């Protein structure tokens, strides 16, 4: 029960515990260097089809400078998460509010990075507005929920 309530006030943590069918969850991380020479969006996540036949983890990599995107599938068993904070691992890759570790070597995609973040600028929260969703965060069974970890860091 505590986990259900804590998810309202921590929308960035994994919300899909105990989901077995027809479920999607992903995290969008936009990475831009100071000169805007490297612009990437990384979307780690999971997808569970309605018939349970297709359960997989994924990392979508979008190169904003070249307008190219790749969708890398991983076995569902390679997905792990921390219950008390935003930290998602898919195979050897890790995504959190303070760090991103990429170790991808698949076909035409080779990326290796270890990025660390500080001076996070989190979305303001209060008792009745627990995040970017505002009071809609309290509405059960919405199609989609959103959370913002940091707008600038």
């Amino acid at each position: 029960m505590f986990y259900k309530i804590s998810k309202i006030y921590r929308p960035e943590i994994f919300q899909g515990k105990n989901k077995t069918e027809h479920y999607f969850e992903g995290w969008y991380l936009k990475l831009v260097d100071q000169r805007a020479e490297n612009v990437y969006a990384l979307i780690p996540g999971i997808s569970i089809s309605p018939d349970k036949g297709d359960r997989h983890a994924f990392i979508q990599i979008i190169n904003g400078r070249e307008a190219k995107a790749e969708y890398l599938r991983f076995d569902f068993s390679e997905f792990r998460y921390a219950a008390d904070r935003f930290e998602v691992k898919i195979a050897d890759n890790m995504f959190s509010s303070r760090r991103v570790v990429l170790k991808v070597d698949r076909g035409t995609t080779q990326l290796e990075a270890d990025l660390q973040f500080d001076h996070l600028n989190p979305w303001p929260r209060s008792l009745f507005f627990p995040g970017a969703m505002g009071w809609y965060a309290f509405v059960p069974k919405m199609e989609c929920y959103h959370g913002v970890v940091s707008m600038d860091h």
Side-chain angles (χ1 to χ4, degrees):
M1 181 63 163
F2 177 73
Y3 183 68
K4 272 185 147 180
I5 294 169
S6 70
K7 290 189 312 182
I8 293 172
Y9 290 93
R10 303 289 312 274
E12 70 276 7
I13 67 174
F14 180 58
Q15 305 286 307
K17 183 179 177 183
N18 301 324
K19 299 289 184 180
T20 59
E21 61 183 44
H22 197 68
Y23 188 75
F24 163 86
E25 186 166 351
W27 297 264
Y28 178 91
L29 298 96
K30 185 174 180 182
L31 307 170
V32 182
D33 67 12
Q34 289 182 339
R35 300 173 129 194
E37 292 174 354
N38 296 289
V39 179
Y40 285 90
L42 306 174
I43 306 171
I46 62 161
S47 177
I48 304 171
S49 69
D51 63 1
K52 299 182 189 178
D54 183 16
R55 296 167 38 105
H56 67 276
F58 64 86
I59 301 172
Q60 185 172 9
I61 301 169
I62 303 167
N63 182 328
R65 298 282 295 171
E66 297 179 15
K68 292 181 180 176
E70 288 206 55
Y71 187 89
L72 306 174
R73 292 173 62 106
F74 295 83
D75 191 86
F76 193 81
S77 65
E78 294 184 273
F79 174 77
R80 296 169 309 284
Y81 66 95
D84 62 343
R85 64 190 177 281
F86 168 50
E87 184 174 298
V88 172
K89 295 179 181 178
I90 299 175
D92 294 327
N93 306 280
M94 192 272 292
F95 307 88
S96 77
S97 60
R98 301 242 176 231
R99 189 173 182 201
V100 170
V101 176
L102 280 176
K103 293 182 181 178
V104 175
D105 188 1
R106 290 189 171 195
T108 60
T109 304
Q110 290 88 31
L111 285 174
E112 189 167 332
D114 189 339
L115 307 171
Q116 296 187 32
F117 312 114
D118 57 16
H119 305 294
L120 271 63
N121 185 14
W123 191 274
R125 299 177 189 186
S126 69
L127 181 61
F128 297 110
F129 290 88
M133 292 286 294
W135 64 268
Y136 285 105
F138 299 106
V139 177
K141 299 185 180 183
M142 288 189 67
E143 185 75 21
C144 187
Y145 293 94
H146 301 280
V148 176
V149 176
S150 179
M151 293 296 289
D152 188 26
H153 43 274

